Amino acid sequence: MTDHARVVPAKIADGLKVAAFDLSPEPALVVDRDGALVAVNEAAEALFGQGLSLLARGRFRAALPPGSVLVSMMDRALFEGALVREHGVEVNLFGQPPFEADGAAAPLGDGSVLLTLHVKGVLGVERASDAAGLRSVVGLGRMLAHEIKNPLAGIRGAAQLLKTGASAADQPLAQLIVDETDRIRRLVDRMEAFSDEVPGPREAVNIHQVLDRVRALVVNGVADGLALQEHYDPSLPPVWGDEDHLIQVFLNLVKNAAEAAHARGDGQGILSIHTAWRPGVRVRGADGKAAAGAPIEIRIQDNGPGVPPSLRDHLFQPFVTTKANGTGLGLALVTKLVTSHGGLIDFESEPGRTVFRVLLPMATEKLSPDRSTGDARV
């Protein structure tokens, strides 16, 4: 991130608020009282393909076309002193092709306005938004670990001391504090799983042993009462990866599928796991260069109600969830782990059939940053 993040007006330029602006997966721009663009976040740079120094040339408001809804939104936000939202706004900025977005304008109290855009249906934008969202969680994970873990440990320790001297009536309250601090700690640990650390050592892993371990973990738990089916190709070679991380990937996917199958509510839920060989599949690396083949396919399928259409374009982004008490981090973490293995994840869904497909490289095709042979495609 460039230094422009520190130019954000004082109303949002402190501590965690700056981090929230910098790391938001939604494109955000700050326009000052004179109509100049003074700050953009990383998602906005990704959307428009330019940094602040290029985006901010000339006055921002003056560059907008006559009758622009964005100008109207900013004026209303300043006049009313409140958040203004508009759906289906046509955005025509910085020489980019026009596109449609849901917009919001919020006054910052010093004459500046914060503009945010929720973009749908623009070629390349969803992928940029996914990447920005994952970077958001990386930053938030680090921030939460630093800002929360130490005081959280102190709160837990104090609650345990209170519990030892508390009356029988008060002990459940002290235990509640302990339990809640443990729950927050687990959430922070999940956020930390998005760190940018170099992956640990990889080895040849039998994918069916991974899936058997996952099955053993769910069969008497979340998958209890479901018809659990397995369709394995016993001839598959080992995959190249980290066994613990692969267990985490498929445990998350199988638990989601089991919960979806239970959501039918008729006792006819089915969860199936398939493995197959898919030759010719190659995955393009993050640097755009050819990566190793990913011919080993694992499919997790359920016959639940399906993913709501409104969430399908954003399902792998952080904080997107269909669960009432979900955090929306599970599939984002799965995506990061699969990608770090040189693999690919996608899904298809309709009422009565949802399939998540993971493609992984085999052990004899170790990923290498300088590998350049063969055609690369997603």
Side-chain angles (χ1 to χ4, degrees), residues 20-39:
F21 174 79
D22 289 352
L23 300 169
S24 170
E26 301 287 359
L29 311 92
V30 176
V31 183
D32 71 10
R33 64 172 66 247
D34 297 320
L37 185 65
V38 295

Side-chain angles (χ1 to χ4, degrees), residues 44-107:
E45 290 182 333
L47 174 61
F48 295 111
Q50 303 175 48
L52 176 68
S53 60
L54 293 176
L55 294 178
R57 288 180 300 183
R59 293 186 59 187
F60 177 77
R61 286 178 62 115
L64 294 172
S68 169
V69 177
L70 292 179
V71 172
S72 174
M73 290 171 57
M74 289 188 288
D75 289 342
R76 284 178 53 201
L78 290 171
F79 179 76
E80 298 174 9
L83 177 69
V84 174
R85 296 183 184 275
E86 291 284 354
H87 297 284
V89 178
E90 182 176 283
V91 180
N92 189 355
L93 292 171
F94 312 120
Q96 300 291 325
F99 58 87
E100 189 173 283
D102 295 338

Side-chain angles (χ1 to χ4, degrees), residues 174-230:
Q175 184 61 46
L176 178 63
I177 297 173
V178 173
D179 292 342
E180 284 300 289
T181 53
D182 287 343
R183 183 180 66 82
I184 296 170
R185 175 63 182 253
R186 289 193 297 271
L187 176 59
V188 174
D189 286 343
R190 293 189 71 190
M191 297 285 288
E192 280 195 292
F194 289 88
S195 67
D196 278 334
E197 294 176 0
V198 177
R202 302 288 169 85
E203 60 184 358
V205 177
N206 185 325
I207 194 62
H208 295 130
Q209 289 182 1
V210 168
L211 296 173
D212 286 344
R213 171 74 176 275
V214 170
R215 186 186 190 281
L217 290 172
V218 303
V219 67
N220 294 316
V222 69
D224 187 30
L226 300 177
L228 188 55
Q229 302 175 350
E230 298 167 346

Side-chain angles (χ1 to χ4, degrees), residues 94 106 132 268 377:
F94 312 120
Q268 302 298 312
R377 53 185 179 272

Side-chain angles (χ1 to χ4, degrees), residues 238-240 277 280-282 291-295 341-342 360-368 371:
V239 301
W240 186 248
W277 176 257
V281 176
R282 305 188 72 82
H341 278 75
L360 294 170
M362 61 182 179
T364 56
E365 293 195 34
K366 304 178 185 180
L367 295 181
S368 173
R371 183 183 176 93

